[in-house]
Structure formats: C-alpha cells, structure tokens
Amino acid sequence: METRSLVNLVAAILVTVYAIYLFVYVVKSRIDFIRLGKAARLDSSPKERIVSTFISVFGQKKLLRDRKSGIIHLALFYGFILVQFSAIDLIWKGIDIHGHVPLGRVYPVFTFSGEVVALMILLAVYGAFHRRFIEKLPRLKRNFKAGIVLIFIAMLMVTSFLSNSMLMIYHGEPASWSAPIASLISLLVGWLNPGVALVFFYLFWWLHLLSLLSFLVYIPQSKHAHIIVAPINLFLRRTGTPKLQPLDLADETAESFGVSQIEELSQLQLIDLYACVECGRCTNVCPANLTGKTLSPMALITKMRDHLTQKGAAMTSKRAWVPAQLFSGAMGNQPIIAGTSGSGESLIGDVITPEELWACTTCRNCEDQCPVGNEHVDKILDMRRYLTLMEGAVDPHAQRVMQNIERQDNPWGIHRKSRTDWQQGYEVPIRTVNENPDFDYLLWVGAMGSFDQRSQKITKAVVRLLVEANVSFAILGNEEKSSGDTPRRFGNEFLFQELAEQNIALFNKYHVKKMITIDPHAFHVFKNEYPDFGFHADVYHHSEILAMLLQEKRLIPTITLDERITYHDSCYLGRYNNVYDAPRQILKAIDGVELVEMERNRENAMCCGAGGGLMWVEESSQVRVNVLRAEQALAVAPTVISSGCPYCLTMLTDGVSAVQEEETVATFDVAEVLAMAVFPA
C-alpha cells in the first residue's frame, strides 16, 4: 500500500473510531435517561408487534397521508439506505486509490444505480427544503436545526459526485454511462492536472467522510434520533384499544398519585419523547391548537424531551472524553451530554403549563396522525391526575361537575330520583330490570339521555326502535349512576373507581351480559376500562344494534327522506373503538338520503370539543372548537348534520346556531333519522 493511502487509512480509522465512540456515548446517555422511568409491560405478542412495526416502518402509510411530504420522505428513507453501498465504495477508493468494491461485471450497473439514487436524494432534499422554507408549511419549524440535516445529506451526495469525477480525471478515464453525473462534471473541469485532481479527490473524500461521521454523531442528539428510536417505539407502542391504566389507590407506599416528575412516567412513555420527528402532524390536527389555545402536542413532547435530557444529565454522574460545547443546544437550549448541566425546573408549571393540560379534549387525533407511534393523551391525563388528586388544582366548573356526580350521579346536580322523569307522558312502555329480570340487553341511558331535554329525544327514538324490533331490553331506572368517564378524564381516579365498583356490583346483581349505550363515552369506559376492575360484558353502541336490526330486516325504513346528510364521527366511537361503518349503514339504508362526507372524516375527523370532560367547562378562546367543526360540516352544504353521540349533537347544534344556520340545517342523531324513516310523523 502506498504511503499516502496508509496515512489516509490510519487517519480515517482514528476519526471513525472517535465518531462511533461519541455516537455510542450519546445513545447510551439516552438509554440511561429512559431507564429513569418506571418499568412497564407490553400488551401483546412479539409476532403481532413485529408485523405491525414492519408495516409502519417500511410501508410508511401514515406519512403518505400528506402525499407530497410522504413521497419526499419515502425517497429520502429508501434512498439513504441504498446510497450507503455507494458510500462504502467511495471510502474504499480513498484507502485504495486504484481499487473499488469487488463486484466484477456488475460494478458498472452498481455505480450507475448509485448515481441515480444520489440524484433522487438531492431532488428529495430540495423538495423538503421547498416545503419547509419556501412553501412554509405551518406545521414545520424553520430554523437552522431544522435544515442542518438537509445540508448534511446534500453534502454527502455532492461530495460523492465530486470525488468520483476527480478520480476519473486522475485516472484519465473517459465519460461513461455507468457514472453519468460524475462524467459530466469531469468533462466540465477536464482541464485540471491529474495531480491537482487527486488533491481535490482527497479533499472531497474527507468532506464526505466527515459529513457522514458528523451526521452519525448528530443523529442521536437531534430530532433525527427517530431514525434509531422510532422503530423501537413502534414495536413497543400500545396495540389494543387506547385506554387509561388504573392507579393503585390502595398502595400505601405511594407518595403521590399521577405524574408530577418526568421520571414518574413509564419507560415506554419516555421512549416516545426521543422518537418524535417534529413533523407537526399532531399539532396540525389538534382541535385545541386550531382554536388558538396554548396546547401543541408536538411542543408538549419536545419540551418534555428536553426536560428529561436536562434532568437526566443532572442525575447522572458519568463523564467522558466528550467536547460538551459541540452538543450544547442540539435538541433544546441545554447541553445534552450527561453530567454537563442541571435542572431545577418543575414538570408541571415550568415545562408544561396547566393551561396546556386542561385544553386537551382527549380526542387522540394527534396519536392517529403520528408516524412514529407517539401517545400524547395518557401523559396529559397522568399529569391531570396529579393536579386533581394531589393539588386540587381543577377548573371551578369541573370541580362543581364532579361534586354533582358524587352527590347526585349527574353533572347538573339534579336529584337522582328524577332520572326517569323523561318517561312521563311517553307512550312506549319501558321496563326496568326489576320488572323484566329476563332481559337480553341492559339499555344504559346515561346522564345526557336522562336529564338533557335534547338528548332525551335520542333516548326515546332508540327505545321506540328497539320496541319495534322486538328487542328484549330493560333499564336500571333510578338505580342508574354515572359511568365515571367524566371524573376519570378530569383526573379524579378516586371518584371513577368508586363509581366503577358500585356499577359493577349493580351489573352483577342483575346478571348483565349485554349492554347498549347511547353515549360513546360510556360505551368506551364499559367496554374497555371496566374490565380492568373485573367487569366483562358485550357492550354495543346503539348505532351497532340498529345497523344489525336493519340488516336482519327487523327494522324496515319505509318513508323517504329527501335530505343531504353529513355524519360527524365521535372520537370515542371512532378513533377509540373503530366504529365508523354502522352509523353510515343506517343512513345509507334510508331512501332519499344523500350521505356526504366532510373533508375531515372517519380516522381524521375533528373533535366536537366536548371530550376530556370539556363538555362541562367554559371555553375561553375566541374560536370555539364546536363552531369550527360545525363550519367544516356546513362546508359540504348539508340539510342535516348527524352524529351518534349526545355530547357531539349538543356541541354541533350550538355550533350551527353560533353561525346562524339553525333555520336551514338541522342536527339529529342517527337513531332519530332512522325513526323518521320507520315511523310515520
């Protein structure tokens, strides 16, 4: 080996080893920080997780929801994987100036494909730059840190072309189809002396190697840590229905309940923080953020990430031969290398404000949009639990609602003995569980269906349809209590568990095996969260039962309704429980109905604003969530806006009134629409 090649090899090895050392050190620090959290269990088999992760990583389905950004990312993702083979070839040439990877006759095809991929990557880099800095997508940050990776990637591609072109001049090689771009460059600067070309080759070669190694070191301390963490996060993410984990309120060793310190989150939750790619897709769909509130799901994650990094560094005594100034502010405004900084900030207050926590409607649209599987809502509700249970720092409206539920089992504080007053004057006979002990279904009416005058019409429509279809059902009557959903979303786990225990005892007393609920929130809590406390039953939303009765011809709509109807997906029915088709099947079964979809529908439907207990809290922003959602519905020019949730219907009705369209557009539950088509007026 020539002396210059030997020197180049030794220098390259030393630099590479140091870069790998820095990379490993930063990755190790992240692992140490994550391990500060509480241990957590996985909820499904490895095989299921592997399949899901493979589809998410290599299919990139969520990224392609935004077609432009998705295609750009797809090109960068696969292009960067493929171009590494060309990088190996180039590094080989720097060590052996007369050699290359030994691929024999395939080598020309290899170099050609490498240049095509590199060009594709450069075009994708320009596309990413254009979207961020010229098109200026609101969800994307525009600063040096946001663009530095594009610079790294562009530098790698350009130096690859330049290095190969200089080598062609040095060797006196003619232009070739196997290296079209390098050939073009060599033709343009072919007047260079071979010796000068060799100097430039080593210059560009070193720029390429240093860019590659700098990128390697930068990745784990930037938002691009998702390259490493996202596949892990996708593998470890929740695979079942989203639900809150119960608190062990009987734990006498617990110093507090809920989360007030970053290390009180689970290790699975902390992995989320380093998986975030800062794409802004979560914030882009957040109803709170869209209506001017302080909550940004992306900012919530990144602020917690920087806080964990800072606090983890303060709690870790390790030090290493690392230039800390090189990494200062790489992810946030604080140094990230363990042992270089401290943090006296409080998670709630200094890092995350209570206003952000209480603005969340728990709709989980942020989670549905996240391409790396981050789960925002559970973190918010864990912190709400601390505020409610340990500090009593709750909105006065929310506090009053919880007191009313505790005293009278309903948010208004109406006497519990009035729960069945809605039946007065109603011609359809309704039997209680005592009057019909052999019932098939328990019909859970809920507080809205029992006490709210508008929602009572939904209850009556459902009851009338069930009777018409000869369904055996009964109600609890005045024995019915609150499901506990509202207190739980407010963070009052104590009241929720007390209500769950009482309800389960009541269900067991009457041997409840199947339930129908009118309220998607109660539907979710009975179906998915009560099993944690020992209750198991088949729980159905009323739209599921009505769609089944239509399919079985036990209900036959005979009246034509000439209406243009758009359907609003309830978050707790749709994103939480994947019930999208049943309500639409009901509407499609009615002659004359034209079903039109809003731009944001099904998985990407926007929240009405009532979730997370916010039905009972005054909204302070100038633009109200329900008004914005009503405007989205009105954009498709319907005559009727329909839903399958009494909360949603109330919010949409108020929203339509707020924009003064109540005279031209009606709001009905799907059960009410079906009743109009089944029963003569």
mmCIF file of all heavy atoms in Angstrom, residues 325-345:
data_model
loop_
_atom_site.group_PDB
_atom_site.id
_atom_site.type_symbol
_atom_site.label_atom_id
_atom_site.label_comp_id
_atom_site.label_asym_id
_atom_site.label_seq_id
_atom_site.Cartn_x
_atom_site.Cartn_y
_atom_site.Cartn_z
ATOM 1 N N GLN A 325 -19.289 21.335 24.437
ATOM 2 C CA GLN A 325 -19.703 22.515 23.689
ATOM 3 C C GLN A 325 -20.159 22.173 22.276
ATOM 4 O O GLN A 325 -20.932 22.902 21.661
ATOM 5 C CB GLN A 325 -18.563 23.548 23.636
ATOM 6 C CG GLN A 325 -17.344 23.138 22.812
ATOM 7 C CD GLN A 325 -16.360 22.291 23.597
ATOM 8 O OE1 GLN A 325 -16.680 21.839 24.687
ATOM 9 N NE2 GLN A 325 -15.172 22.092 23.051
ATOM 10 N N LEU A 326 -19.698 21.030 21.765
ATOM 11 C CA LEU A 326 -20.098 20.617 20.421
ATOM 12 C C LEU A 326 -21.577 20.286 20.368
ATOM 13 O O LEU A 326 -22.230 20.459 19.355
ATOM 14 C CB LEU A 326 -19.282 19.384 20.006
ATOM 15 C CG LEU A 326 -19.588 18.770 18.630
ATOM 16 C CD1 LEU A 326 -19.213 19.743 17.529
ATOM 17 C CD2 LEU A 326 -18.855 17.455 18.461
ATOM 18 N N PHE A 327 -22.133 19.840 21.533
ATOM 19 C CA PHE A 327 -23.501 19.348 21.538
ATOM 20 C C PHE A 327 -24.485 20.301 22.207
ATOM 21 O O PHE A 327 -25.661 20.027 22.234
ATOM 22 C CB PHE A 327 -23.561 17.998 22.256
ATOM 23 C CG PHE A 327 -22.596 17.003 21.689
ATOM 24 C CD1 PHE A 327 -21.418 16.715 22.344
ATOM 25 C CD2 PHE A 327 -22.859 16.381 20.492
ATOM 26 C CE1 PHE A 327 -20.531 15.794 21.823
ATOM 27 C CE2 PHE A 327 -21.976 15.459 19.965
ATOM 28 C CZ PHE A 327 -20.808 15.168 20.635
ATOM 29 N N SER A 328 -24.032 21.386 22.764
ATOM 30 C CA SER A 328 -24.915 22.280 23.502
ATOM 31 C C SER A 328 -26.039 22.775 22.603
ATOM 32 O O SER A 328 -25.802 23.290 21.523
ATOM 33 C CB SER A 328 -24.128 23.473 24.046
ATOM 34 O OG SER A 328 -23.149 23.022 24.954
ATOM 35 N N GLY A 329 -27.269 22.592 23.084
ATOM 36 C CA GLY A 329 -28.415 23.091 22.341
ATOM 37 C C GLY A 329 -28.785 22.283 21.133
ATOM 38 O O GLY A 329 -29.601 22.712 20.326
ATOM 39 N N ALA A 330 -28.218 21.093 20.986
ATOM 40 C CA ALA A 330 -28.529 20.297 19.791
ATOM 41 C C ALA A 330 -29.996 19.940 19.720
ATOM 42 O O ALA A 330 -30.595 19.968 18.667
ATOM 43 C CB ALA A 330 -27.688 19.021 19.784
ATOM 44 N N MET A 331 -30.593 19.619 20.884
ATOM 45 C CA MET A 331 -32.012 19.258 20.878
ATOM 46 C C MET A 331 -32.860 20.376 21.457
ATOM 47 O O MET A 331 -33.984 20.584 21.061
ATOM 48 C CB MET A 331 -32.238 17.992 21.685
ATOM 49 C CG MET A 331 -31.571 16.787 21.092
ATOM 50 S SD MET A 331 -32.045 15.280 21.914
ATOM 51 C CE MET A 331 -33.742 15.118 21.408
ATOM 52 N N GLY A 332 -32.329 21.085 22.409
ATOM 53 C CA GLY A 332 -33.075 22.169 23.008
ATOM 54 C C GLY A 332 -32.127 23.308 23.279
ATOM 55 O O GLY A 332 -31.245 23.607 22.500
ATOM 56 N N ASN A 333 -32.276 23.955 24.420
ATOM 57 C CA ASN A 333 -31.396 25.056 24.770
ATOM 58 C C ASN A 333 -30.383 24.656 25.832
ATOM 59 O O ASN A 333 -29.675 25.502 26.361
ATOM 60 C CB ASN A 333 -32.240 26.242 25.273
ATOM 61 C CG ASN A 333 -33.145 26.787 24.181
ATOM 62 O OD1 ASN A 333 -32.714 26.914 23.045
ATOM 63 N ND2 ASN A 333 -34.394 27.101 24.527
ATOM 64 N N GLN A 334 -30.333 23.368 26.141
ATOM 65 C CA GLN A 334 -29.449 22.916 27.201
ATOM 66 C C GLN A 334 -28.460 21.882 26.666
ATOM 67 O O GLN A 334 -28.736 21.160 25.721
ATOM 68 C CB GLN A 334 -30.273 22.276 28.331
ATOM 69 C CG GLN A 334 -31.299 23.211 28.953
ATOM 70 C CD GLN A 334 -30.666 24.385 29.649
ATOM 71 O OE1 GLN A 334 -29.562 24.280 30.163
ATOM 72 N NE2 GLN A 334 -31.364 25.506 29.678
ATOM 73 N N PRO A 335 -27.277 21.784 27.276
ATOM 74 C CA PRO A 335 -26.335 20.730 26.889
ATOM 75 C C PRO A 335 -26.978 19.363 27.118
ATOM 76 O O PRO A 335 -27.777 19.184 28.029
ATOM 77 C CB PRO A 335 -25.161 20.954 27.847
ATOM 78 C CG PRO A 335 -25.313 22.356 28.321
ATOM 79 C CD PRO A 335 -26.764 22.645 28.341
ATOM 80 N N ILE A 336 -26.596 18.388 26.306
ATOM 81 C CA ILE A 336 -27.253 17.098 26.408
ATOM 82 C C ILE A 336 -26.344 15.994 26.923
ATOM 83 O O ILE A 336 -26.818 14.904 27.183
ATOM 84 C CB ILE A 336 -27.839 16.686 25.044
ATOM 85 C CG1 ILE A 336 -26.746 16.592 23.966
ATOM 86 C CG2 ILE A 336 -28.896 17.630 24.582
ATOM 87 C CD1 ILE A 336 -26.087 15.299 23.864
ATOM 88 N N ILE A 337 -25.075 16.238 27.013
ATOM 89 C CA ILE A 337 -24.189 15.172 27.468
ATOM 90 C C ILE A 337 -24.298 15.019 28.988
ATOM 91 O O ILE A 337 -24.287 15.989 29.726
ATOM 92 C CB ILE A 337 -22.735 15.484 27.068
ATOM 93 C CG1 ILE A 337 -22.637 15.479 25.545
ATOM 94 C CG2 ILE A 337 -21.785 14.488 27.661
ATOM 95 C CD1 ILE A 337 -23.009 14.153 24.913
ATOM 96 N N ALA A 338 -24.437 13.786 29.423
ATOM 97 C CA ALA A 338 -24.628 13.513 30.839
ATOM 98 C C ALA A 338 -23.534 14.157 31.675
ATOM 99 O O ALA A 338 -22.365 14.077 31.368
ATOM 100 C CB ALA A 338 -24.656 12.003 31.071
ATOM 101 N N GLY A 339 -23.966 14.813 32.775
ATOM 102 C CA GLY A 339 -23.016 15.384 33.703
ATOM 103 C C GLY A 339 -22.630 16.814 33.380
ATOM 104 O O GLY A 339 -21.794 17.385 34.056
ATOM 105 N N THR A 340 -23.280 17.433 32.344
ATOM 106 C CA THR A 340 -22.860 18.780 31.970
ATOM 107 C C THR A 340 -23.829 19.854 32.413
ATOM 108 O O THR A 340 -23.555 21.024 32.255
ATOM 109 C CB THR A 340 -22.697 18.881 30.446
ATOM 110 O OG1 THR A 340 -23.964 18.647 29.821
ATOM 111 C CG2 THR A 340 -21.691 17.881 29.935
ATOM 112 N N SER A 341 -25.023 19.480 32.877
ATOM 113 C CA SER A 341 -25.983 20.513 33.259
ATOM 114 C C SER A 341 -26.877 20.023 34.374
ATOM 115 O O SER A 341 -26.938 18.855 34.697
ATOM 116 C CB SER A 341 -26.830 20.922 32.047
ATOM 117 O OG SER A 341 -27.675 19.847 31.676
ATOM 118 N N GLY A 342 -27.654 20.913 34.954
ATOM 119 C CA GLY A 342 -28.619 20.557 35.975
ATOM 120 C C GLY A 342 -29.973 21.098 35.611
ATOM 121 O O GLY A 342 -30.118 21.867 34.688
ATOM 122 N N SER A 343 -31.033 20.675 36.340
ATOM 123 C CA SER A 343 -32.384 21.137 36.072
ATOM 124 C C SER A 343 -33.149 21.254 37.365
ATOM 125 O O SER A 343 -33.355 20.279 38.056
ATOM 126 C CB SER A 343 -33.105 20.185 35.118
ATOM 127 O OG SER A 343 -34.450 20.575 34.965
ATOM 128 N N GLY A 344 -33.575 22.473 37.673
ATOM 129 C CA GLY A 344 -34.425 22.681 38.831
ATOM 130 C C GLY A 344 -35.847 22.970 38.426
ATOM 131 O O GLY A 344 -36.675 23.379 39.245
ATOM 132 N N GLU A 345 -36.169 22.747 37.135
ATOM 133 C CA GLU A 345 -37.498 23.043 36.633
ATOM 134 C C GLU A 345 -38.514 22.011 37.113
ATOM 135 O O GLU A 345 -38.206 20.842 37.270
ATOM 136 C CB GLU A 345 -37.505 23.076 35.102
ATOM 137 C CG GLU A 345 -36.731 24.236 34.502
ATOM 138 C CD GLU A 345 -36.811 24.221 32.987
ATOM 139 O OE1 GLU A 345 -36.778 23.123 32.398
ATOM 140 O OE2 GLU A 345 -36.908 25.308 32.396
#
